[in-house]
Amino acid sequence: MTVSKFWRNIPQYYNLIGKKCPECNSYYFPPRDVCSQCGNHKLEEHKFDGRGEIVTFTIIRTPLMDPEGEVIDIHAQTIPYILAIVKLEEGPKLTAEIVDCEIDEVKIGKEVGAVFRKIVEKGPHGVIQYGYKFKLVR
Amino acid sequence: MTGIIGWGAYIPHYRIKAEEIAKAQGQDADTIKSGLRIEEKSVPGIDEDSATIAVEAAKNALKRANILPTEIGAIYLGSESHPYAVKPTGTIVAQAIGMSNNYTTADLEFACKAGTAALQIIYAMVKSDMIRYGLAGGIDTAQAAPGDPLEYTAAAGGAVFILGRENIVAEIKDTVSFTSDTPDFWRRAYQKYPSHGGAFTGEPAYFKHIINATELLLKKVNKKPTDYTYAIFHQPNGKFPVRVAKKLGFNNEQILPGLLVPKIGNTYSGSSILGLAAVLDIAKPGDTILVTSYGSGAGSDSFDIEVTDQILRIRNKSQSVQDYIDNIKYIDYATYLKYTKK
Ligand SMILES: [Zn+2]
């Protein structure tokens, strides 16, 4: 991701800012301009508080590489790691890593909360991209 | 009245035992453990740094302080492991906790006392009415070269305090500092690991500065060691703070609740203030706390703090330091090397 694209998306990545439709109470993450349920064009900003549950998950054992052959996700240096689809309390689903957790502890339906972590570090010279990951609620 | 209206701590999930490091260094674990009085230390996850630790600690502090993040007018964070050499950690943390853009920040560095330096600056800004609320913190992901004795203690963690003039849970009554040019420990630009003066780090450095700062404070506020319920001294290992407390006339009962180093290691800029956070987790209204930090280079900041009855209202709104000490996972030396990118 380019620095400018990352910068534009900081409210999403850092603060889980999405959208809410005041007409039909639908929630969107990532944010969108038009409500897909009722067609309303006037959606409001909504800050998700990061509580949710695991819908499904997979264990990544091969690190993601970019076309130049560099490891993209810094956590991929510690494969295997857990990648999950998390359903936020308000409804939207998103893909994120589950951290501070053993593979045999992660289960479908487990409650999770968002944490703030490094996502991508572009080598020793590049910008550090931070964002949300999730942790089991213990 | 100016003081703390919310405090928050964060210590990473991972620990490495002194035995595991001793094995890798080819040393005798029992000698090290009794010499340094350390059992294990915290290790950051590979995706954690001083910014992510500060964000989690600041979120915990906000849960306790009954204010909006947009009301905070300044953020000062002390660390010797800021993620960037140029680009303030304060900007990342302010964005992540939802502050407005109407705030001032700059990163601080003073070895292990940058966190208390931040506390002094925010205290002065709030007290002088320059800002209504301010956030001060000290966090580190301390690094030590493989084989260096510091490897047993260099740890990760931090604490954050939100200061204000109303709804105070712990009043900061006074603060003084004692500072000199003492080259006991340093890290030159572009170097990954610090260098230190070995035995020179004791008497002329740690002990001299902590004793002088503490005595200056006691004289200024006209108190004696027995007037305090708790005392916290910088904790580079488990031995120094116990010895300096004894020299100054404090007893073990006063210092043990804030002595975290045997279980988490030396969290550098987070060290003495994590001790303060742990004491606030258990303190009662009317309790008095003395905190003296130490930063190599060298200097000490000493604080006279008094707990108010407001503390009971907010204490349980966030995880305690003990929660972070209890919920851990041990890793081996190979995993430790990977997580700390050695
Ligand atoms: Zn709608």
Side-chain angles (χ1 to χ4, degrees), chain A residues 31-110:
Chain A
R32 50 181 297 157
D33 295 329
V34 182
C35 179
S36 63
Q37 294 300 309
C38 73
N40 180 12
H41 285 248
K42 288 182 178 152
L43 302 191
E44 294 168 352
E45 229 175 50
H46 176 78
K47 185 185 180 318
F48 293 89
D49 92 334
R51 288 257 167 178
E53 64 169 54
I54 295 175
V55 175
T56 188
F57 66 93
T58 185
I59 311 301
I60 305 290
R61 296 179 192 275
T62 309
L64 200 60
M65 310 288 259
D66 71 10
E68 282 92 50
E70 276 196 56
V71 173
I72 290 178
D73 187 323
I74 57 153
H75 209 95
Q77 293 160 11
T78 56
I79 49 165
Y81 67 98
I82 307 160
L83 198 62
I85 293 179
V86 169
K87 183 173 188 247
L88 298 172
E89 265 176 357
E90 297 92 333
K93 295 189 190 93
L94 48 83
T95 305
E97 199 186 312
I98 308 293
V99 294
D100 294 353
C101 171
E102 297 299 297
I103 287 170
D104 57 13
E105 286 178 288
V106 61
K107 298 270 175 337
I108 288 170
K110 276 213 172 173

Side-chain angles (χ1 to χ4, degrees), chain A residues 15 102 116 128 130 133, chain B residues 47 49 56 84 95 329:
Chain A
N15 309 97
E102 297 299 297
F116 184 77
I128 305 168
Y130 296 92
K133 293 186 182 181
Chain B
D47 55 358
D49 62 18
E56 298 298 338
Y84 289 93
Q95 172 70 41
K329 189 205 164 189

Side-chain angles (χ1 to χ4, degrees), chain B residues 227-275:
Chain B
D227 292 334
Y228 289 94
T229 324
Y230 300 102
I232 298 132
F233 301 103
H234 173 52
Q235 311 167 13
N237 53 53
K239 206 166 59 176
F240 280 16
V242 176
R243 200 193 294 163
V244 84
K246 201 173 169 194
K247 278 189 184 202
L248 280 161
F250 293 87
N251 62 37
N252 279 350
E253 232 169 278
Q254 289 167 297
I255 64 162
L256 288 180
L259 190 68
L260 308 175
V261 64
K263 285 287 178 194
I264 66 169
N266 178 8
T267 54
Y268 285 51
S269 301
S271 174
S272 51
I273 53 175
L274 262 172

